[in-house]
Amino acid sequence: MSELTIPHVHHRYVDVNGLRVFYRETGPADAPVLLLLHGFPSASHQYARLLDALGTRYRLIAPDYPGFGHSDSPAPGTFTYRFETLADVVEDFCLVLGLDRFALYVFDFGAPVGLRLAVRHPEWITGLVVQNGNAYEEGLSDQAREFIAGRRGVPGAGQAARSILTLDVTRAQYEGGTGDPSLVAPDGWTLDQHFLDLPGRKDIQVELALDYFSNVELYPAWQAWLRADQPPTLVLWGLGDPFFTEAGARAYLRDLPGAELHLFDTGHFALEEKLPEIAPLIDDFLARTGQ
């Protein structure tokens, strides 16, 4: 009889400068580490199946940012919700857990958070897995550019940002662009909307939406880091993403000619439909680059 091995996944909290930060962790303590940074409007639960798939071979750690998932969500005014401060929290989270050598998985909001971290601590990064996380202007769709144009002081920008925090829009982020929507579990968008509908959470998302332009302003700095350090990189992209287009995936090859690029007939949350195809690619990548 063949041996079936399924990892235990721990669900923990850690104090990060007075914030109670929730995270999921699995895998051997001495295995290569993959830090998973989630997107909008989700949290670490978006990686639950990937933790099960790879947790016997690697140490996977997935935190929830402040204002997301199960982490503390102080009201705007008591905590400054900017992408820079989310990166501050993730940086301090790594210091508290003693993480100083790991591969970095960045998706959606995780790209501006993770790339800020990489520029601050290039010595921490053993490899980069990019999944529908943009760092190039040519990868921004018209819809994405309209979203990014909203910022503080622009009339109606806050109201426009708040208008997308609905169940229909959340669900569409999961099912839009997929080849077979029956492969996308409803649990993800249902849980995301549960968190969005908690008191004060939509105010937090509006604050971050109005700060998204700051990420585009940093694209040149992130590209400079990629060119200088040439981290081993695996680019995974759902072609049906309405925000981040195929051009954004291919743009990484300009600065990282040795990067691996894999395109999938699916949407923004590519792992939802294509985990059986994507997990082996990540496994192979970590086996070759993990330290």
Side-chain angles (χ1 to χ4, degrees), residues 47 114 126 245-246:
Y47 293 120
T126 62
T245 69
E246 179 182 348

Side-chain angles (χ1 to χ4, degrees), residues 9-157:
V9 178
H10 298 274
H11 305 85
R12 296 177 166 135
Y13 289 90
V14 65
D15 182 278
V16 178
N17 294 327
L19 288 172
R20 194 167 182 249
V21 173
F22 173 84
Y23 68 102
R24 301 165 196 262
E25 179 176 4
T26 188
D30 59 350
V33 177
L34 178 63
L35 180 66
L36 299 141
L37 299 183
H38 67 79
F40 162 85
S42 198
S44 61
H45 61 261
Q46 74 168 83
Y47 293 120
R49 293 180 67 214
L50 187 63
L51 268 63
D52 287 338
L54 299 180
T56 60
R57 293 166 56 81
Y58 307 101
R59 185 183 176 199
L60 279 68
I61 299 172
D64 292 352
Y65 315 134
F68 292 77
H70 297 284
S71 287
D72 277 353
S73 301
T78 62
F79 181 84
T80 302
Y81 287 95
R82 303 289 188 273
F83 284 90
E84 195 73 18
T85 55
L86 295 187
D88 292 342
V89 172
V90 173
E91 178 182 21
D92 290 339
F93 171 84
C94 291
L95 293 171
V96 171
L97 266 61
L99 303 177
D100 58 8
R101 292 290 287 169
F102 51 82
L104 184 61
Y105 188 118
V106 297
F107 162 72
D108 189 63
F109 274 20
V113 174
L115 291 173
R116 279 176 167 85
L117 184 67
V119 168
R120 295 178 190 182
H121 295 284
E123 73 281 3
W124 286 3
I125 310 303
T126 62
L128 189 62
V129 180
V130 181
Q131 189 251 297
N132 292 75
N134 218 62
Y136 296 85
E137 288 203 40
E138 56 262 56
L140 299 172
S141 70
D142 290 342
Q143 186 175 348
R145 292 177 186 276
E146 182 178 352
F147 176 83
I148 293 164
R151 60 185 71 187
R152 290 166 189 82
V154 174

Side-chain angles (χ1 to χ4, degrees), residues 235-287:
V235 181
L236 310 164
W237 216 268
L239 292 174
D241 191 328
F243 311 105
F244 303 135
T245 69
E246 179 182 348
R250 295 191 179 279
Y252 280 95
L253 301 181
R254 185 170 66 237
D255 292 318
L256 298 168
E260 303 170 43
L261 172 64
H262 298 270
L263 306 174
F264 299 91
D265 180 21
T266 192
H268 183 63
F269 283 90
L271 289 176
E272 295 294 314
E273 183 181 14
K274 297 296 185 179
L275 179 76
E277 293 84 359
I278 290 175
L281 295 172
I282 299 173
D283 181 22
D284 176 69
F285 177 75
L286 295 176

Side-chain angles (χ1 to χ4, degrees), residues 145-223:
R145 292 177 186 276
E146 182 178 352
F147 176 83
I148 293 164
R151 60 185 71 187
R152 290 166 189 82
V154 174
Q159 183 178 357
R162 192 175 298 273
S163 71
I164 70 171
L165 305 176
T166 65
L167 179 60
D168 286 346
V169 175
T170 301
R171 178 173 181 171
Q173 289 192 64
Y174 279 79
E175 293 186 322
T178 59
D180 183 356
S182 75
L183 292 173
V184 180
D187 311 315
W189 75 72
T190 303
L191 188 53
D192 286 354
Q193 196 63 40
H194 161 74
F195 286 124
L196 280 175
D197 289 339
L198 292 177
R201 290 291 185 100
K202 291 181 179 177
D203 295 335
I204 290 169
Q205 294 304 328
V206 170
E207 288 292 302
L208 289 169
L210 299 182
D211 185 54
Y212 200 91
F213 73 93
S214 71
N215 301 324
V216 179
E217 291 179 347
L218 288 175
Y219 281 2
W222 302 341
Q223 294 161 19

